[in-house]
Amino acid sequence: IASCLVGSEMCIRDSYYIMLNNLSVKKAILYTMVGKYSTIIMQTVFSMILSRVLTPTEFGTVAVVSIFITFFSILSDLGLGAGVIQNKKMTNEDVNNIFSVSVYLGIGLMLIFVVLSYPIATIYNDKVYYKLCPILATSVLFNSFNMIPNAVMLKEKNFLSIAKRTFISCIVSYAVSIGLALQGWGVYALCFSQVMSSLMIFLWNEGSVKLKFHFKADIKPIKMIWGYSFYQFTSQTINFFCRSLDSFLVGILFSKADLAYYNKSYSLMMLPISNIPGVINPVLHPILSEYQDNRFEIYKRYQKMVRILVILGSLISVLCFTFGDQIIYIMFGDQWDEAVLPFRILSLSLIPQFLTNTIGTIYQSVGETKKLFHSVIITTTLIILSIVMGAMMGSIVTVSIMVSMAYVMSFLITFYLLFQNVFGYSFETFLKPMKSDFMIFVVVIAIVSLMPVFNDIWIDMSVKFAVYITYCLLYLILGKRYFQIISMLKSK
């Protein structure tokens, strides 16, 4: 809730009806969507409550530690979860041994996280981290315990159980957080929410996935998948630092309130990214990995999926940019007004982020995590330089501008490398059908930017609404984008 952390949810979605182990892609997507979007609704409601009970400074305090929580989650996985899904020859005993290693790894990471409280408190000059880090170390432990069971559930395509687990753990953890916040627990209310969520998932996994722990674990199964998992892990790690550097620098160079404003705008912008292309991330890798040698088929289906993502990204990006102030005020309240401009700026990068967040699953499914790693190295360098420049310019607004520009450039680079190195097709040919979408997007954003701001909030919203509805009608119906979406949904 306080975090801008996104993880590396990169996925794709084809529109064809693939039957695999008696479960279709559409049904799997449906299960995932119901669980995910039900959770989003609950998270949104709870976040709206907490944002009015707690202060931006309290959110900023927890956001600092949340950055490290996500990094330790990546360390606890080491790319082994994706390796378990990808490798179809692995036995149950192999998985048990990998799980056993992850248990020992989790215990070690928990102890390291406790020790980390001292340098964190020193860097951010706040003794509260002496208490927060040991509490959140419990979350690090359970996150590690959950990694391999999560991968097993995905590999077995147990999407309905995952959806139920996600929804229930969300309700319980947020209910605890709100109850503690109303009792005046402040930052600790946010911390216990994270601990409760990881604990609930652990308890559910214990009842659903029957893995056996071996005191003397065999590491040979890890060697089976390490060539694949290593590049997956390094790509995730680099992507994490790239995604978290802006929050890290804002937390050090600016106030905790500034960090909270930036995190709120960033996490709100990331909602459609992680929950539209990202909603099928757990579904596509287990299924597409079955067809890892058929790159041409993946290419054809990916073209159609990207086309739909561009349309959805355009509609949502214009919506967020147009109604940015109303969205922030309604969701979080007037005390978060300084998050409005960063949110509007960051929303301009939604289309390229919609697309770049689909690339990882393509590389994973065809077994080319090494090429994914090379692509991540290039784009990460660009994004890091942009973030540093934005931070040196002195405000969260300049950071937002440079981050948005970096994601646009990252999209161009990553897609060029994907089509040249993996598919062997021209990137220009792929991009050509979408040029009109980008041109229309630029024109509409320019019109909205030049619109006057009316003092009466209802008049202002009415004018914006009329402009947005006009844009949607022209773009979807006259531009025939609506029929493309319907055609894709009906396809088998």
Side-chain angles (χ1 to χ4, degrees), residues 41 55 67 123 134 149 187 208 232 263 304 308 358 450 457 473:
I41 293 172
T55 67
I67 297 174
I123 293 173
V187 294
S208 301
Q232 171 72 13
N263 274 0
K304 295 181 179 180
I308 301 303
T358 65
L450 296 174
I457 186 173
L473 292 175

Side-chain angles (χ1 to χ4, degrees), residues 162-182:
I162 293 173
K164 292 178 181 178
R165 182 194 68 182
T166 302
F167 182 70
I168 294 173
S169 64
C170 169
I171 292 179
V172 174
S173 61
Y174 272 91
V176 170
S177 182
I178 291 175
L180 294 176
L182 292 174

Side-chain angles (χ1 to χ4, degrees), residues 180-219:
L180 294 176
L182 292 174
Q183 293 298 318
W185 284 54
V187 294
Y188 297 99
L190 300 177
C191 291
F192 279 109
S193 172
Q194 296 191 34
V195 173
M196 183 60 66
S197 177
S198 60
L199 174 60
M200 288 290 297
I201 293 174
F202 169 74
L203 294 175
W204 189 289
N205 287 344
E206 278 294 295
S208 301
V209 184
K210 305 301 181 182
L211 294 179
K212 295 181 180 179
F213 172 74
H214 299 322
F215 283 99
K216 188 176 181 181
D218 188 355
I219 64 171

